[in-house]
Amino acid sequence: MEPENKQQRRPWVVGVSGASGTPYAAAVLRGLLAAGESVDLVVSRASRLTLLDETGIAFRDAHWREDLAAWLARGADGKPDTFAVDAAALDDVRYWPAGDLAAGPSSGSYAVKGMLIVPASTAAVAGVALGLSKDLLQRVASVTLKERRPLVVAVRETPLNGQTLKHMVTLDEAGAVVLPASPAFYAGATHIQDLVDFVAGRVLDAAGVPHELYRRWKGELGGALPAG
């Protein structure tokens, strides 16, 4: 009897760099899991410091699942247990240490849909634009570009100097989507989480992943104003 054919797992790789904006990464991760997508997660060494500073969560290799659950449950305002985390959804998350250059996603033969770097620091932007592979995040981004897979780079920095702008143009010319973490207000934001979810939603839009993170523009002025 022939074995049953199983659909090959094809995750989105989510790379989290050291820029401020860990709530953006959490919102993107929640959006991917809510859409039924598989996720391979790479958390850079620098981003661990940012995550600890912004959330109080110490992300540990040996306890990554527990720490990820706490991170995803936290709201953008810092309140814990804001979101319910589906333990079953976390079963389809794979975590790869940033120093593991032999990890699955470091090879073009490893099947993935693409990569989302959120937030992306200027150092990460430079490393990817120059084709460096100083850590797994940069290596996966280089592989994503060479394999002509979708790469979304959510840049979180201001102001931007000329060198970073040149690196962003290089990424655009290489086929990446350069997506500044710039919230909009036409969606009727009333809470910091709304602004975070708007940016996360635009990242998912660029990746073609369906979501309901923000109210879309319908061509009607005044739609963001409260009723009454």
Side-chain angles (χ1 to χ4, degrees):
M1 184 175 180
E2 294 183 0
E4 181 182 355
N5 290 328
K6 294 185 178 180
Q7 186 175 7
Q8 184 181 31
R9 181 180 181 273
R10 292 187 66 236
W12 284 98
V13 180
V14 176
V16 186
S17 80
S20 176
T22 55
Y24 290 131
V28 166
L29 288 166
R30 285 193 297 266
L32 288 170
L33 295 178
E37 298 286 347
S38 301
V39 173
D40 276 23
L41 178 63
V42 180
V43 179
S44 75
R45 290 189 176 91
S47 69
R48 293 174 188 237
L49 299 177
T50 308
L51 183 64
L52 180 63
D53 185 50
E54 294 183 344
T55 69
I57 296 171
F59 198 89
R60 303 160 293 176
D61 287 348
H63 302 280
W64 69 266
R65 185 184 175 99
E66 174 187 342
D67 298 335
L68 176 61
W71 181 17
L72 297 186
R74 187 174 295 266
D77 58 3
K79 293 181 180 178
D81 302 322
T82 298
F83 297 96
V85 178
D86 184 357
L90 294 183
D91 289 341
D92 211 4
V93 177
R94 288 182 183 173
Y95 167 70
W96 302 96
D100 185 5
L101 292 179
S106 68
S107 171
S109 65
Y110 184 85
V112 303
K113 291 184 177 179
M115 184 180 191
L116 315 175
I117 304 178
V118 53
S121 66
T122 54
V125 169
V128 177
L130 295 173
L132 305 180
S133 294
K134 289 187 175 181
D135 62 7
L136 182 61
L137 188 152
Q138 292 183 13
R139 170 59 185 170
V140 178
S142 294
V143 169
T144 302
L145 289 176
K146 82 179 182 68
E147 297 293 330
R148 301 296 191 265
R149 295 167 179 160
L151 173 64
V152 182
V153 183
V155 183
R156 216 310 306 160
E157 186 61 85
T158 190
L160 297 170
N161 64 30
Q163 197 62 47
T164 298
L165 292 170
K166 291 177 183 177
H167 289 152
M168 291 165 64
V169 170
T170 298
L171 290 179
D172 177 77
E173 291 175 342
V177 174
V178 179
L179 195 153
S182 301
F185 295 85
Y186 63 78
T190 59
H191 188 274
I192 185 174
Q193 189 67 53
D194 298 325
L195 299 176
V196 168
D197 285 347
F198 179 87
V199 171
R202 295 300 288 151
V203 171
L204 295 178
D205 286 344
V209 176
H211 66 88
E212 296 182 358
L213 287 175
Y214 68 86
R215 183 182 66 84
R216 296 185 181 278
W217 174 251
K218 297 181 179 179
E220 300 174 359
L221 295 177
L225 300 176

